[in-house]
Amino acid sequence: MVTSIGEEYNSLMKILIPLFILLISVSSFADCSQALSGGYAHDSKAYQLYEDEVNLELSRNTTEFATEAVLVLQQKLGCMNEKSATTFSNVSCNQVVPGVRLSSVCYLEGQTGYFLVSVDMLENINIVYNRFD
């Protein structure tokens, strides 16, 4: 009888632990979406960072730089830590006006919305978050 209770307990734990981990990860995405959208008050919200808040060794107007900038923003908002790495898809940087480097804008698609990242001439990083419906 003791073995069957132990076996049932182990089976139950094998189901509950992955379910708990899944719920925590979904909750962290929702928390980040809430923080980025101003408590769901806005579908789009603009943010600004200083260039020195991002790794200075990364080249500006690159996907690596844009990804790092968004991760820094999420950390500043308290919705991401080192353990919950955010992944992005469809990451690209393009010049709005071909041949004009200052017109570069990067696009990053995340779990809850997408980001547009650009750098201005005053050493600011401009990030616009657009929440998915």
Side-chain angles (χ1 to χ4, degrees):
M1 189 94 177
V2 173
T3 348
S4 75
I5 292 174
E7 289 174 6
E8 287 179 24
Y9 177 78
N10 286 340
S11 296
L12 182 62
M13 293 313 285
K14 286 179 183 178
I15 294 170
L16 288 178
I17 291 173
L19 182 62
F20 181 71
I21 291 170
L22 177 66
L23 289 174
I24 288 174
S25 65
V26 168
S27 170
S28 69
F29 289 133
D31 290 346
C32 208
S33 179
Q34 182 178 9
L36 287 164
S37 64
Y40 300 117
H42 308 283
D43 290 328
S44 299
K45 192 157 169 70
Y47 295 92
Q48 196 169 65
L49 301 173
Y50 296 109
E51 277 188 312
D52 63 356
E53 294 180 80
V54 178
N55 184 348
L56 295 173
E57 294 180 10
L58 295 174
S59 297
R60 304 303 179 253
N61 303 319
T62 63
T63 57
E64 294 80 15
F65 180 83
T67 301
E68 178 78 13
V70 172
L71 293 175
V72 168
L73 173 64
Q74 290 176 335
Q75 287 175 343
K76 284 183 76 167
L77 294 174
C79 64
M80 195 200 95
N81 59 40
E82 288 106 29
K83 291 181 182 176
S84 64
T86 302
T87 57
F88 301 104
S89 59
N90 296 327
V91 180
S92 66
C93 297
N94 294 298
Q95 295 175 349
V96 177
V97 179
V100 179
R101 192 173 66 72
L102 292 173
S103 72
S104 292
V105 177
C106 297
Y107 172 87
L108 296 87
E109 193 170 300
Q111 297 284 85
T112 62
Y114 65 93
F115 301 86
L116 299 173
V117 180
S118 63
V119 179
D120 64 26
M121 294 174 62
L122 299 174
E123 299 178 353
N124 296 309
I125 304 165
N126 302 297
I127 302 171
V128 178
Y129 171 72
N130 298 283
R131 183 169 57 100
F132 290 142
D133 287 340

